[in-house]
Amino acid sequence: MPFVKYEPKGDIAYLVIDRPEALNALNAQVLADLDAALDAVDTNTVRCLIVRGAGDKAFVAGADIAQMKDLDSAGGEAFGKQGNDVFLKLESFPIPVIAAVGGYALGGGCELAMACDFRICSDTAVFGQPETGLGITPGFGGTQRLARLVGPGMAKQMIYTARNIKADEALRIGLVNAVYPADELYAAAEKLASTIAANAPIAVRACKKAIDDGAALTIDEAVICEEKAFASCFGTADQREGMGAFLEKRKHEPYTNH
Ligand code: CAA
């Protein structure tokens, strides 16, 4: 049985990290299954993904410490590359991806959440990069994405101290967008995903690409990303329908992805 389940639900879908006996810890097989699950997503039908962990205790409690313990430097490098490759694939996935964090998101789990477009969490969630307490650095993007999300000062404090933070602090520093009671988290995630799925898919995808491609550029270069995104929407059936419906003072027809 794969450790990552792909569960489509109409025009949204879950990717469930399903190894609850180890709090969904990421070993090489889980990473390979996540890679394969991404390949299985039908992006013609599915317009938004939700990543979550199985069980009610953890999103993902990190990379698998038992698997890492006896690695040498070359083995560590290869494991880090495997994680980074699949997280880069997730980050640049053509449709939006929401991390719904219900419980521990530590080390590789926090890094997995950060490779998604944005994060929401339960009031029981715990985030952290505990790696320096284990004798290693974060290895699946934590030294890079955490600093970009919460700023280098806060990222350095979290990483150097290896101190975990709770949901309210994650919200305060901008690591998550919203906190929900634990039993409402996945309903909230589905509502958000469905709201995104109801908007014009070509436009939503183009926004994701423009935001991501522009992030590392100067503003002069970055606005060219936006111009390309903007241009790509004109002439689509969804643009004609969306603007026509506004001008005719009616609700637009469901968007078609064309
Ligand atoms: N790797 C391997 N196994 C893990 C694991 C991990 N990261 N996290 C939890 N588990 C396993 C435990 O070993 C335990 O297995 P057994 O029942 O076989 O003993 C099971 O999951 C349940 O865990 P606990 O008994 O520890 O549960 P708890 O409620 O007492 O504690 C916890 C929960 C605080 C999250 C604790 O499990 C913990 O601290 N886990 C490790 C967190 C961590 O350090 N993560 C970072 C890993 S390094 C990394 O991720 C590097 C990177 O950037 C790529």
Side-chain angles (χ1 to χ4, degrees), residues 102-146:
Y104 292 109
L106 302 177
C110 189
E111 292 166 315
L112 173 62
M114 291 191 293
C116 299
D117 287 284
F118 59 86
R119 292 140 292 287
I120 61 173
C121 74
S122 66
D123 52 9
T124 55
V126 177
F127 295 83
Q129 297 290 159
E131 288 88 348
T132 58
L134 293 164
I136 58 171
T137 66
F140 295 166
T143 59
Q144 307 307 313
R145 291 195 182 92
L146 187 60

mmCIF file of all heavy atoms in Angstrom, residues 102-146:
data_model
loop_
_atom_site.group_PDB
_atom_site.id
_atom_site.type_symbol
_atom_site.label_atom_id
_atom_site.label_comp_id
_atom_site.label_asym_id
_atom_site.label_seq_id
_atom_site.Cartn_x
_atom_site.Cartn_y
_atom_site.Cartn_z
ATOM 1 N N GLY A 102 -2.885 19.513 10.724
ATOM 2 C CA GLY A 102 -3.649 19.137 11.914
ATOM 3 C C GLY A 102 -2.755 18.391 12.887
ATOM 4 O O GLY A 102 -2.815 17.175 12.967
ATOM 5 N N GLY A 103 -1.895 19.119 13.598
ATOM 6 C CA GLY A 103 -0.983 18.466 14.550
ATOM 7 C C GLY A 103 0.464 18.824 14.255
ATOM 8 O O GLY A 103 0.753 19.921 13.753
ATOM 9 N N TYR A 104 1.376 17.899 14.564
ATOM 10 C CA TYR A 104 2.807 18.192 14.428
ATOM 11 C C TYR A 104 3.228 18.412 12.969
ATOM 12 O O TYR A 104 2.915 17.602 12.097
ATOM 13 C CB TYR A 104 3.639 17.038 14.984
ATOM 14 C CG TYR A 104 3.541 16.886 16.481
ATOM 15 C CD1 TYR A 104 2.849 15.817 17.048
ATOM 16 C CD2 TYR A 104 4.134 17.808 17.341
ATOM 17 C CE1 TYR A 104 2.748 15.667 18.428
ATOM 18 C CE2 TYR A 104 4.034 17.674 18.721
ATOM 19 C CZ TYR A 104 3.345 16.607 19.259
ATOM 20 O OH TYR A 104 3.246 16.476 20.614
ATOM 21 N N ALA A 105 3.942 19.504 12.743
ATOM 22 C CA ALA A 105 4.590 19.759 11.446
ATOM 23 C C ALA A 105 6.024 20.138 11.789
ATOM 24 O O ALA A 105 6.366 21.324 11.900
ATOM 25 C CB ALA A 105 3.890 20.868 10.680
ATOM 26 N N LEU A 106 6.842 19.130 11.991
ATOM 27 C CA LEU A 106 8.206 19.347 12.482
ATOM 28 C C LEU A 106 9.216 18.957 11.403
ATOM 29 O O LEU A 106 8.990 18.011 10.641
ATOM 30 C CB LEU A 106 8.447 18.516 13.741
ATOM 31 C CG LEU A 106 7.481 18.804 14.912
ATOM 32 C CD1 LEU A 106 7.758 17.866 16.082
ATOM 33 C CD2 LEU A 106 7.586 20.262 15.342
ATOM 34 N N GLY A 107 10.351 19.655 11.378
ATOM 35 C CA GLY A 107 11.411 19.303 10.436
ATOM 36 C C GLY A 107 10.853 19.194 9.020
ATOM 37 O O GLY A 107 10.268 20.140 8.486
ATOM 38 N N GLY A 108 11.018 18.011 8.420
ATOM 39 C CA GLY A 108 10.515 17.789 7.060
ATOM 40 C C GLY A 108 9.020 18.030 6.932
ATOM 41 O O GLY A 108 8.529 18.297 5.828
ATOM 42 N N GLY A 109 8.281 17.951 8.030
ATOM 43 C CA GLY A 109 6.842 18.235 7.987
ATOM 44 C C GLY A 109 6.569 19.716 7.832
ATOM 45 O O GLY A 109 5.705 20.132 7.054
ATOM 46 N N CYS A 110 7.311 20.536 8.560
ATOM 47 C CA CYS A 110 7.199 21.987 8.399
ATOM 48 C C CYS A 110 7.651 22.358 6.981
ATOM 49 O O CYS A 110 7.041 23.193 6.311
ATOM 50 C CB CYS A 110 8.075 22.670 9.461
ATOM 51 S SG CYS A 110 7.856 24.451 9.560
ATOM 52 N N GLU A 111 8.691 21.672 6.511
ATOM 53 C CA GLU A 111 9.221 21.943 5.165
ATOM 54 C C GLU A 111 8.216 21.539 4.080
ATOM 55 O O GLU A 111 8.081 22.227 3.063
ATOM 56 C CB GLU A 111 10.555 21.208 4.994
ATOM 57 C CG GLU A 111 11.636 21.809 5.905
ATOM 58 C CD GLU A 111 12.876 20.932 6.037
ATOM 59 O OE1 GLU A 111 12.728 19.696 6.236
ATOM 60 O OE2 GLU A 111 13.989 21.462 5.946
ATOM 61 N N LEU A 112 7.519 20.432 4.295
ATOM 62 C CA LEU A 112 6.479 20.024 3.343
ATOM 63 C C LEU A 112 5.376 21.079 3.294
ATOM 64 O O LEU A 112 4.925 21.487 2.220
ATOM 65 C CB LEU A 112 5.894 18.662 3.763
ATOM 66 C CG LEU A 112 4.679 18.166 2.980
ATOM 67 C CD1 LEU A 112 5.007 17.969 1.507
ATOM 68 C CD2 LEU A 112 4.154 16.847 3.570
ATOM 69 N N ALA A 113 4.951 21.537 4.463
ATOM 70 C CA ALA A 113 3.897 22.567 4.510
ATOM 71 C C ALA A 113 4.359 23.834 3.800
ATOM 72 O O ALA A 113 3.572 24.488 3.107
ATOM 73 C CB ALA A 113 3.523 22.859 5.961
ATOM 74 N N MET A 114 5.638 24.180 3.967
ATOM 75 C CA MET A 114 6.143 25.418 3.357
ATOM 76 C C MET A 114 6.289 25.305 1.839
ATOM 77 O O MET A 114 6.379 26.320 1.143
ATOM 78 C CB MET A 114 7.483 25.818 3.990
ATOM 79 C CG MET A 114 7.332 26.265 5.439
ATOM 80 S SD MET A 114 8.811 27.042 6.114
ATOM 81 C CE MET A 114 9.969 25.673 6.152
ATOM 82 N N ALA A 115 6.337 24.074 1.306
ATOM 83 C CA ALA A 115 6.419 23.901 -0.156
ATOM 84 C C ALA A 115 5.034 24.033 -0.806
ATOM 85 O O ALA A 115 4.924 24.034 -2.025
ATOM 86 C CB ALA A 115 7.046 22.551 -0.497
ATOM 87 N N CYS A 116 3.985 24.112 0.035
ATOM 88 C CA CYS A 116 2.629 24.333 -0.489
ATOM 89 C C CYS A 116 2.420 25.836 -0.687
ATOM 90 O O CYS A 116 3.197 26.657 -0.197
ATOM 91 C CB CYS A 116 1.604 23.769 0.494
ATOM 92 S SG CYS A 116 1.781 21.974 0.746
ATOM 93 N N ASP A 117 1.344 26.214 -1.393
ATOM 94 C CA ASP A 117 1.126 27.639 -1.675
ATOM 95 C C ASP A 117 0.850 28.433 -0.413
ATOM 96 O O ASP A 117 1.298 29.558 -0.268
ATOM 97 C CB ASP A 117 -0.029 27.810 -2.663
ATOM 98 C CG ASP A 117 0.379 27.397 -4.053
ATOM 99 O OD1 ASP A 117 1.102 28.169 -4.699
ATOM 100 O OD2 ASP A 117 0.031 26.288 -4.485
ATOM 101 N N PHE A 118 0.032 27.863 0.480
ATOM 102 C CA PHE A 118 -0.164 28.473 1.790
ATOM 103 C C PHE A 118 -0.637 27.424 2.765
ATOM 104 O O PHE A 118 -0.957 26.288 2.380
ATOM 105 C CB PHE A 118 -1.101 29.696 1.738
ATOM 106 C CG PHE A 118 -2.486 29.436 1.208
ATOM 107 C CD1 PHE A 118 -3.507 29.002 2.031
ATOM 108 C CD2 PHE A 118 -2.777 29.661 -0.138
ATOM 109 C CE1 PHE A 118 -4.786 28.790 1.545
ATOM 110 C CE2 PHE A 118 -4.063 29.449 -0.632
ATOM 111 C CZ PHE A 118 -5.064 29.010 0.210
ATOM 112 N N ARG A 119 -0.654 27.794 4.048
ATOM 113 C CA ARG A 119 -0.922 26.863 5.128
ATOM 114 C C ARG A 119 -2.062 27.363 5.995
ATOM 115 O O ARG A 119 -2.121 28.559 6.318
ATOM 116 C CB ARG A 119 0.322 26.720 6.037
ATOM 117 C CG ARG A 119 1.495 26.043 5.381
ATOM 118 C CD ARG A 119 2.826 26.678 5.726
ATOM 119 N NE ARG A 119 2.957 28.003 5.153
ATOM 120 C CZ ARG A 119 3.161 28.275 3.861
ATOM 121 N NH1 ARG A 119 3.356 27.310 3.011
ATOM 122 N NH2 ARG A 119 3.195 29.530 3.390
ATOM 123 N N ILE A 120 -2.967 26.432 6.373
ATOM 124 C CA ILE A 120 -3.897 26.688 7.460
ATOM 125 C C ILE A 120 -3.678 25.559 8.466
ATOM 126 O O ILE A 120 -3.116 24.511 8.113
ATOM 127 C CB ILE A 120 -5.362 26.746 6.983
ATOM 128 C CG1 ILE A 120 -5.807 25.426 6.351
ATOM 129 C CG2 ILE A 120 -5.546 27.903 6.001
ATOM 130 C CD1 ILE A 120 -7.299 25.393 6.020
ATOM 131 N N CYS A 121 -4.080 25.769 9.707
ATOM 132 C CA CYS A 121 -3.780 24.716 10.696
ATOM 133 C C CYS A 121 -4.857 24.631 11.765
ATOM 134 O O CYS A 121 -5.706 25.519 11.897
ATOM 135 C CB CYS A 121 -2.401 24.950 11.324
ATOM 136 S SG CYS A 121 -2.322 26.306 12.502
ATOM 137 N N SER A 122 -4.787 23.551 12.539
ATOM 138 C CA SER A 122 -5.666 23.364 13.692
ATOM 139 C C SER A 122 -5.067 24.094 14.894
ATOM 140 O O SER A 122 -3.863 24.405 14.914
ATOM 141 C CB SER A 122 -5.777 21.869 14.022
ATOM 142 O OG SER A 122 -4.532 21.388 14.462
ATOM 143 N N ASP A 123 -5.907 24.321 15.900
ATOM 144 C CA ASP A 123 -5.386 24.957 17.123
ATOM 145 C C ASP A 123 -4.484 24.013 17.916
ATOM 146 O O ASP A 123 -3.880 24.421 18.904
ATOM 147 C CB ASP A 123 -6.544 25.508 17.988
ATOM 148 C CG ASP A 123 -7.624 24.462 18.274
ATOM 149 O OD1 ASP A 123 -7.413 23.269 17.950
ATOM 150 O OD2 ASP A 123 -8.685 24.838 18.805
ATOM 151 N N THR A 124 -4.376 22.770 17.474
ATOM 152 C CA THR A 124 -3.461 21.806 18.108
ATOM 153 C C THR A 124 -2.135 21.689 17.357
ATOM 154 O O THR A 124 -1.276 20.887 17.742
ATOM 155 C CB THR A 124 -4.112 20.405 18.130
ATOM 156 O OG1 THR A 124 -4.482 20.068 16.775
ATOM 157 C CG2 THR A 124 -5.358 20.376 19.002
ATOM 158 N N ALA A 125 -1.969 22.451 16.292
ATOM 159 C CA ALA A 125 -0.762 22.292 15.457
ATOM 160 C C ALA A 125 0.490 22.790 16.183
ATOM 161 O O ALA A 125 0.432 23.716 16.997
ATOM 162 C CB ALA A 125 -0.937 23.056 14.139
ATOM 163 N N VAL A 126 1.602 22.152 15.862
ATOM 164 C CA VAL A 126 2.908 22.536 16.410
ATOM 165 C C VAL A 126 3.891 22.539 15.236
ATOM 166 O O VAL A 126 3.960 21.561 14.483
ATOM 167 C CB VAL A 126 3.395 21.529 17.476
ATOM 168 C CG1 VAL A 126 4.789 21.900 17.970
ATOM 169 C CG2 VAL A 126 2.414 21.453 18.637
ATOM 170 N N PHE A 127 4.598 23.650 15.095
ATOM 171 C CA PHE A 127 5.567 23.793 14.004
ATOM 172 C C PHE A 127 6.971 23.904 14.585
ATOM 173 O O PHE A 127 7.157 24.425 15.685
ATOM 174 C CB PHE A 127 5.281 25.061 13.195
ATOM 175 C CG PHE A 127 3.969 25.029 12.464
ATOM 176 C CD1 PHE A 127 2.780 25.361 13.123
ATOM 177 C CD2 PHE A 127 3.905 24.663 11.131
ATOM 178 C CE1 PHE A 127 1.561 25.326 12.456
ATOM 179 C CE2 PHE A 127 2.690 24.625 10.454
ATOM 180 C CZ PHE A 127 1.512 24.963 11.126
ATOM 181 N N GLY A 128 7.956 23.489 13.824
ATOM 182 C CA GLY A 128 9.323 23.689 14.272
ATOM 183 C C GLY A 128 10.316 23.030 13.346
ATOM 184 O O GLY A 128 9.971 22.205 12.499
ATOM 185 N N GLN A 129 11.553 23.471 13.513
ATOM 186 C CA GLN A 129 12.685 22.867 12.788
ATOM 187 C C GLN A 129 13.645 22.361 13.866
ATOM 188 O O GLN A 129 14.561 23.066 14.265
ATOM 189 C CB GLN A 129 13.353 23.914 11.886
ATOM 190 C CG GLN A 129 12.479 24.486 10.790
ATOM 191 C CD GLN A 129 12.128 23.526 9.654
ATOM 192 O OE1 GLN A 129 11.174 23.733 8.949
ATOM 193 N NE2 GLN A 129 12.883 22.459 9.470
ATOM 194 N N PRO A 130 13.428 21.116 14.338
ATOM 195 C CA PRO A 130 14.211 20.615 15.475
ATOM 196 C C PRO A 130 15.601 20.095 15.117
ATOM 197 O O PRO A 130 16.306 19.551 15.978
ATOM 198 C CB PRO A 130 13.365 19.428 15.996
ATOM 199 C CG PRO A 130 12.183 19.301 15.097
ATOM 200 C CD PRO A 130 12.415 20.151 13.904
ATOM 201 N N GLU A 131 16.021 20.274 13.849
ATOM 202 C CA GLU A 131 17.196 19.549 13.350
ATOM 203 C C GLU A 131 18.482 19.819 14.124
ATOM 204 O O GLU A 131 19.269 18.895 14.345
ATOM 205 C CB GLU A 131 17.421 19.859 11.858
ATOM 206 C CG GLU A 131 16.398 19.208 10.932
ATOM 207 C CD GLU A 131 15.151 20.052 10.708
ATOM 208 O OE1 GLU A 131 14.944 21.048 11.429
ATOM 209 O OE2 GLU A 131 14.388 19.703 9.795
ATOM 210 N N THR A 132 18.730 21.091 14.510
ATOM 211 C CA THR A 132 20.029 21.325 15.164
ATOM 212 C C THR A 132 20.105 20.570 16.498
ATOM 213 O O THR A 132 21.195 20.230 16.952
ATOM 214 C CB THR A 132 20.308 22.834 15.396
ATOM 215 O OG1 THR A 132 19.262 23.403 16.189
ATOM 216 C CG2 THR A 132 20.436 23.583 14.084
ATOM 217 N N GLY A 133 18.959 20.276 17.070
ATOM 218 C CA GLY A 133 18.945 19.452 18.280
ATOM 219 C C GLY A 133 19.250 17.988 18.009
ATOM 220 O O GLY A 133 19.494 17.215 18.941
ATOM 221 N N LEU A 134 19.227 17.608 16.724
ATOM 222 C CA LEU A 134 19.533 16.222 16.339
ATOM 223 C C LEU A 134 20.917 16.120 15.689
ATOM 224 O O LEU A 134 21.305 15.045 15.231
ATOM 225 C CB LEU A 134 18.488 15.718 15.326
ATOM 226 C CG LEU A 134 17.057 15.541 15.831
ATOM 227 C CD1 LEU A 134 16.101 15.440 14.641
ATOM 228 C CD2 LEU A 134 16.942 14.303 16.701
ATOM 229 N N GLY A 135 21.601 17.234 15.580
ATOM 230 C CA GLY A 135 22.950 17.207 15.003
ATOM 231 C C GLY A 135 23.000 17.421 13.507
ATOM 232 O O GLY A 135 24.017 17.130 12.864
ATOM 233 N N ILE A 136 21.907 17.917 12.917
ATOM 234 C CA ILE A 136 21.900 18.174 11.469
ATOM 235 C C ILE A 136 21.272 19.542 11.190
ATOM 236 O O ILE A 136 20.764 20.190 12.109
ATOM 237 C CB ILE A 136 21.124 17.080 10.682
ATOM 238 C CG1 ILE A 136 19.665 16.973 11.178
ATOM 239 C CG2 ILE A 136 21.841 15.740 10.752
ATOM 240 C CD1 ILE A 136 18.783 16.068 10.316
ATOM 241 N N THR A 137 21.304 19.932 9.913
ATOM 242 C CA THR A 137 20.571 21.129 9.488
ATOM 243 C C THR A 137 19.217 20.679 8.948
ATOM 244 O O THR A 137 19.062 19.505 8.592
ATOM 245 C CB THR A 137 21.300 21.860 8.336
ATOM 246 O OG1 THR A 137 21.284 21.010 7.171
ATOM 247 C CG2 THR A 137 22.733 22.217 8.700
ATOM 248 N N PRO A 138 18.248 21.597 8.828
ATOM 249 C CA PRO A 138 17.062 21.269 8.031
ATOM 250 C C PRO A 138 17.528 20.843 6.641
ATOM 251 O O PRO A 138 18.483 21.416 6.109
ATOM 252 C CB PRO A 138 16.282 22.585 7.991
ATOM 253 C CG PRO A 138 16.730 23.330 9.211
ATOM 254 C CD PRO A 138 18.181 22.978 9.366
ATOM 255 N N GLY A 139 16.865 19.850 6.056
ATOM 256 C CA GLY A 139 17.399 19.297 4.802
ATOM 257 C C GLY A 139 16.447 19.284 3.634
ATOM 258 O O GLY A 139 16.840 18.952 2.524
ATOM 259 N N PHE A 140 15.164 19.607 3.864
ATOM 260 C CA PHE A 140 14.206 19.603 2.744
ATOM 261 C C PHE A 140 13.688 21.019 2.491
ATOM 262 O O PHE A 140 12.504 21.238 2.281
ATOM 263 C CB PHE A 140 13.022 18.662 3.032
ATOM 264 C CG PHE A 140 13.342 17.193 3.144
ATOM 265 C CD1 PHE A 140 12.415 16.307 3.688
ATOM 266 C CD2 PHE A 140 14.545 16.656 2.702
ATOM 267 C CE1 PHE A 140 12.675 14.946 3.795
ATOM 268 C CE2 PHE A 140 14.824 15.289 2.803
ATOM 269 C CZ PHE A 140 13.886 14.430 3.360
ATOM 270 N N GLY A 141 14.602 21.996 2.550
ATOM 271 C CA GLY A 141 14.232 23.362 2.174
ATOM 272 C C GLY A 141 14.036 24.324 3.334
ATOM 273 O O GLY A 141 13.775 25.506 3.122
ATOM 274 N N GLY A 142 14.176 23.850 4.572
ATOM 275 C CA GLY A 142 13.870 24.686 5.736
ATOM 276 C C GLY A 142 14.757 25.902 5.887
ATOM 277 O O GLY A 142 14.288 26.966 6.304
ATOM 278 N N THR A 143 16.047 25.778 5.545
ATOM 279 C CA THR A 143 16.921 26.951 5.696
ATOM 280 C C THR A 143 16.576 28.030 4.666
ATOM 281 O O THR A 143 16.931 29.194 4.849
ATOM 282 C CB THR A 143 18.424 26.596 5.542
ATOM 283 O OG1 THR A 143 18.637 26.019 4.248
ATOM 284 C CG2 THR A 143 18.903 25.637 6.628
ATOM 285 N N GLN A 144 15.876 27.646 3.613
ATOM 286 C CA GLN A 144 15.570 28.607 2.554
ATOM 287 C C GLN A 144 14.131 29.110 2.623
ATOM 288 O O GLN A 144 13.883 30.311 2.609
ATOM 289 C CB GLN A 144 15.847 27.968 1.179
ATOM 290 C CG GLN A 144 17.251 27.393 1.057
ATOM 291 C CD GLN A 144 18.333 28.409 1.430
ATOM 292 O OE1 GLN A 144 18.292 29.554 0.967
ATOM 293 N NE2 GLN A 144 19.293 28.015 2.261
ATOM 294 N N ARG A 145 13.164 28.186 2.687
ATOM 295 C CA ARG A 145 11.754 28.634 2.620
ATOM 296 C C ARG A 145 11.300 29.304 3.912
ATOM 297 O O ARG A 145 10.486 30.217 3.877
ATOM 298 C CB ARG A 145 10.829 27.456 2.275
ATOM 299 C CG ARG A 145 11.010 26.960 0.854
ATOM 300 C CD ARG A 145 9.874 26.045 0.383
ATOM 301 N NE ARG A 145 10.140 25.579 -0.963
ATOM 302 C CZ ARG A 145 10.773 24.447 -1.261
ATOM 303 N NH1 ARG A 145 11.182 23.629 -0.300
ATOM 304 N NH2 ARG A 145 10.999 24.117 -2.520
ATOM 305 N N LEU A 146 11.800 28.855 5.066
ATOM 306 C CA LEU A 146 11.347 29.485 6.315
ATOM 307 C C LEU A 146 11.767 30.953 6.340
ATOM 308 O O LEU A 146 10.974 31.834 6.689
ATOM 309 C CB LEU A 146 11.894 28.729 7.537
ATOM 310 C CG LEU A 146 11.354 29.202 8.884
ATOM 311 C CD1 LEU A 146 9.835 29.069 8.967
ATOM 312 C CD2 LEU A 146 12.003 28.430 10.050
#
